[in-house]
Amino acid sequence: MGMIGKAGVPTASEILEPSSASLMRKRIFGHYGLMIGIGSLLVIFAIALLAPMLAPFDPLDQELSRKLIPPIWSGSAKATWVYPLGTDGLGRDYLSRLIYGSQISLLIGFSAMLISGVIGTTLGVLAGYFGGRVDMVVNFIITTRLSMPVVLVALAVVSLVGNSLWIVIWVLGLLIWDRFAVVVRSSTLQVRNLDYVAAAQAIGCSKMRIIFSEIMPNIMNNLIVVATVEMAHAIILEAALSFLGLGVQPPAPSWGLMISEGKGLMFFHPWLIGIPGAALFVLILAINLMGDGVRDVTAPENRN
Amino acid sequence: MLIFAVKRLAVAILVAITVSLLTFSMIYLSGDPAMALAGESATQQDIENIRRVYGYDKPIVIQYINWLGNALVGDFGHSHYLKTDVASVIFTRLPVTMTLGAAALSFALLLAIPLGVLAAMRPNTLIDRIALTLAVIGQALPSFWFALIMIYWFGIVWGMLPITGSASWLNFVMPSVALGYYVTPAVMRLTRAGMLDVLSSDYIRTARAKGLRPVAVLFKHALRNAVIPVVSLAAVQFGFMLGGSIVIETIFAINGLGQLAWESIQRADLPMMQAIVLVLACFYIVLTFLADLLNAFLDPRIRVG
């Protein structure tokens, strides 16, 4: 109680301490974009996890006698609640394929993001922390990577190496680490000259320890924002590769592949491309909203 | 300025050499290129012949130096599939892709800069909100899907625009939009941030205090400075667009470099694939080099730092 100043004015610590945590909570829950983003992402994640329970049919089960049934909102006489989103050209239930497709998008987005995150963060921290020659070399590697056209190189490599889900994941992961490296490098540069890093150096902490326990926690916010951007990027790229026929192979229910298969039939059955495309859009929008929200909440001063 | 330019040029050349090395090693990704080329029914004799004709029997270092030396004088070898000179095919296709890229970039800038300016003039109002919402939606639309949606409505249902080919400028409308809209969110955000920054600066206050017309302040004084970073972003994005046009060109059957790349990938036409990757990478390197020079010229802090 002795904290109260002489004139009865509370000291700065009394004003700030109780409020900062609740202020943060208020910012997080008051940010509609962040809430909508996290909410939708959780729903999609749950759908992917519970796919075997939610999907009414086997996504690979073909039945030509029931092909191209339109979705229920089409008003067509053929539409039925048995296949709420209709069936594709091979008579596979579109809803089941859509549900299982979320697994592929999330798996590829998350794995490619992890691979590129490890590569980019390592390069960025090394460049930012050690500076000098190391920084020059890392900058050179980043510039080289940026000058290689991503879609073209990914397509060429997949066509030469062969395509499987994991090859696509590795190719994407090895290609899209540049933004991680750029952002982590500049964040590390900002942090490394702060007092607590100097203090850690002064008490004799090893370089590894400083990087992992002083620098990494303090660049985490920026890292999360880049991670969301790159996860969305990887999902779009996988969809584009699968759309061109060099990503995930049929009969797997990748959303990009579903759009590709529906393309030839879109004149009379536009929903074949509309439904998987809308699913992709919602997933990417949710991830982006989450990323923008994290940025706004952790660094409101950088909002503009 | 000269020292900066020379240093930057040296880096650009080193990057180009590294890229050429990576591009060259691409042919060994599939294992033995001669075997891949010969096909499954080839005899050992056929494979040996191909190896000798294409020079795959020489040491790799010699192969690389030969390939790079020829590429430097514009000789990218012969296409395995088209049986013609790779360079001549590329140079007939390149103008189409450049036209598409330029049209896409113009569309993006014409949409993004006015929106960014409007948003910055009235921050946190309805206009600003709408512009930011459009940016968020734009970033979440996969371009190939957006292209198909446009084909469906504008090409088929309303019949307003041709959906394939590159015969007239009308053929370029949908592809340009599909390729360009993806860049608009980034350009818009940068314009908005730049304008907000400039509009709150002292010299704008002075200009206003002198009684200059608001329009003059906005366009003559503010926009000119706010748009500097947009120029280098546009250069970089143009490079990305040339690389990304492969998807759009395939969808709209535009006879450019992107479609050529796609066809070569399907035919496993290695010399053609290598040449296209190298040409596009070099374009990007030149573009970023020029953008850096321009930036350094406009902003002295860069060339000193």
Side-chain angles (χ1 to χ4, degrees):
Chain A
M1 284 295 119
M3 293 285 279
I4 296 175
K6 273 175 191 157
V9 181
T11 60
S13 65
E14 275 175 311
I15 299 171
L16 288 177
E17 250 180 325
S19 63
S20 66
S22 70
L23 189 75
M24 194 65 180
R25 214 173 304 136
K26 212 168 154 188
R27 264 202 230 139
I28 291 173
F29 288 105
H31 195 292
Y32 294 128
L34 181 62
M35 285 294 105
I36 295 172
I38 292 180
S40 338
L41 209 55
L42 283 178
V43 170
I44 298 172
F45 191 65
I47 290 175
L49 273 185
L50 302 175
M53 279 182 250
L54 292 172
F57 293 93
D58 182 338
L60 307 181
D61 204 7
Q62 302 181 12
E63 178 55 64
L64 287 173
S65 64
R66 57 168 203 217
K67 71 172 186 179
L68 293 172
I69 294 174
I72 37 160
W73 62 81
S74 65
S76 152
K78 274 165 73 188
T80 156
W81 275 102
V82 179
Y83 310 106
L85 298 185
T87 57
D88 70 4
L90 295 171
R92 295 173 292 197
D93 177 42
Y94 230 43
L95 176 65
S96 306
R97 286 181 74 71
L98 201 69
I99 290 174
Y100 273 96
S102 64
Q103 292 181 336
I104 296 177
S105 283
L106 285 178
L107 177 69
I108 289 189
F110 201 75
S111 317
M113 179 264 281
L114 275 186
I115 295 169
S116 59
V118 169
I119 301 171
T121 310
T122 310
L123 288 173
V125 166
L126 287 178
Y129 186 75
F130 293 104
R133 290 237 172 88
V134 182
D135 191 25
M136 260 173 61
V137 172
V138 170
N139 263 326
F140 181 76
I141 301 177
I142 295 174
T143 319
T144 308
R145 162 43 215 98
L146 280 174
S147 56
M148 308 281 286
V150 175
V151 183
L152 192 52
V153 172
L155 282 171
V157 171
V158 169
S159 80
L160 291 172
V161 180
N163 39 18
S164 76
L165 190 68
W166 284 101
I167 288 176
V168 173
I169 288 174
W170 274 100
V171 169
L172 292 182
L174 291 172
L175 276 173
I176 59 172
W177 47 263
D178 49 280
R179 207 183 319 238
F180 274 107
V182 171
V183 172
V184 168
R185 175 182 169 272
S186 63
S187 316
T188 308
L189 273 176
Q190 280 168 12
V191 171
R192 67 154 296 172
N193 292 322
L194 294 181
D195 286 344
Y196 57 79
V197 175
Q201 272 161 347
I203 60 170
C205 291
S206 70
K207 289 189 172 98
M208 281 305 263
R209 168 132 187 221
I210 291 174
I211 287 174
F212 279 103
S213 60
E214 307 295 330
I215 291 182
M216 285 305 283
N218 289 292
I219 62 171
M220 211 31 103
N221 292 336
N222 290 345
L223 203 56
I224 292 172
V225 176
V226 190
T228 61
V229 173
E230 289 311 329
M231 185 168 166
H233 192 188
I235 291 173
I236 291 192
L237 282 175
E238 178 273 317
L241 292 191
S242 301
F243 174 74
L244 289 174
L246 279 171
V248 176
Q249 292 300 298
S254 150
W255 291 343
L257 193 59
M258 285 166 75
I259 297 175
S260 167
E261 288 165 349
K263 192 180 57 171
L265 301 163
M266 69 183 262
F267 299 89
F268 299 108
H269 312 280
W271 45 271
L272 281 177
I273 58 163
I275 292 170
L280 263 177
F281 174 71
V282 170
L283 175 58
I284 297 159
L285 189 64
I287 297 172
N288 285 349
L289 282 177
M290 189 179 112
D292 286 357
V294 171
R295 190 195 54 212
D296 287 353
V297 167
T298 54
E301 67 277 6
N302 295 339
R303 191 171 305 187
N304 293 325
Chain B
M1 184 71 195
L2 190 67
I3 297 171
F4 174 84
V6 171
K7 269 189 189 164
R8 190 59 191 73
L9 184 65
V11 173
I13 291 172
L14 258 175
V15 170
I17 292 174
T18 317
V19 168
S20 74
L21 204 61
L22 289 170
T23 315
F24 172 76
S25 50
M26 213 164 74
I27 59 169
Y28 285 98
L29 278 176
S30 60
D32 187 342
M35 219 133 92
L37 196 57
E40 280 169 11
S41 58
T43 62
Q44 193 60 37
Q45 188 60 42
D46 294 340
I47 295 174
E48 289 303 326
N49 278 340
I50 287 172
R51 199 167 279 153
R52 211 177 49 248
V53 171
Y54 288 98
Y56 293 139
D57 53 343
K58 299 198 182 77
I60 289 185
V61 184
I62 305 288
Q63 284 184 44
Y64 170 67
I65 291 171
N66 282 345
W67 177 73
L68 186 64
N70 289 336
L72 280 178
V73 294
D75 176 9
F76 290 102
H78 275 259
S79 158
H80 288 172
Y81 182 86
L82 297 170
K83 309 288 176 212
T84 50
D85 180 24
V86 167
S88 66
V89 182
I90 287 186
F91 287 110
T92 51
R93 301 287 194 105
L94 193 58
V96 180
T97 299
M98 295 298 246
T99 314
L100 177 61
L105 188 66
S106 317
F107 165 76
L109 295 180
L110 285 176
L111 183 68
I113 294 179
L115 264 180
V117 172
L118 272 178
M121 276 164 67
R122 305 258 182 281
N124 300 318
T125 59
L126 190 64
I127 297 176
D128 190 21
R129 288 276 165 80
I130 291 175
L132 285 179
T133 309
L134 279 179
V136 170
I137 290 176
Q139 258 163 350
L141 267 182
S143 61
F144 66 94
W145 185 57
F146 185 48
L148 290 177
I149 299 286
M150 281 196 293
I151 288 181
Y152 182 71
W153 289 109
F154 294 98
I156 299 168
V157 176
W158 298 324
M160 290 160 69
L161 292 164
I163 55 177
T164 55
S166 43
S168 82
W169 66 273
L170 278 173
N171 289 85
F172 282 91
V173 175
M174 283 199 283
S176 310
V177 173
L179 192 58
Y181 84 92
Y182 204 65
V183 181
T184 48
V187 176
M188 199 210 82
R189 280 170 202 253
L190 198 62
T191 311
R192 179 178 178 274
M195 278 303 271
L196 277 177
D197 209 31
V198 170
L199 284 177
S200 63
S201 64
D202 287 342
Y203 77 95
I204 292 296
R205 201 184 47 188
T206 310
R208 281 186 180 142
K210 281 196 305 188
L212 285 182
R213 285 180 308 129
V215 179
V217 174
L218 197 64
F219 290 102
K220 230 178 127 189
H221 295 254
L223 187 59
R224 260 168 65 168
N225 281 302
V227 99
I228 291 175
V230 174
V231 173
S232 59
L233 178 70
V236 171
Q237 292 295 343
F238 186 66
F240 284 142
M241 273 188 207
L242 293 183
S245 71
I246 181 165
V247 185
I248 300 300
E249 284 185 22
T250 313
I251 292 177
F252 290 98
I254 290 178
N255 225 358
L257 209 54
Q259 209 185 21
L260 181 65
W262 173 232
E263 289 162 359
S264 318
I265 287 171
Q266 284 180 315
R267 298 164 183 158
D269 192 347
L270 289 167
M272 193 69 96
M273 277 156 71
Q274 285 178 316
I276 295 171
V277 172
L278 192 62
V279 166
L280 287 178
C282 286
F283 252 107
Y284 181 86
I285 294 168
V286 171
L287 279 172
T288 46
F289 173 65
L290 293 179
D292 278 1
L293 280 196
L294 186 68
N295 261 348
F297 180 70
L298 294 171
D299 189 346
R301 284 171 300 185
I302 296 174
R303 57 179 184 254
V304 177

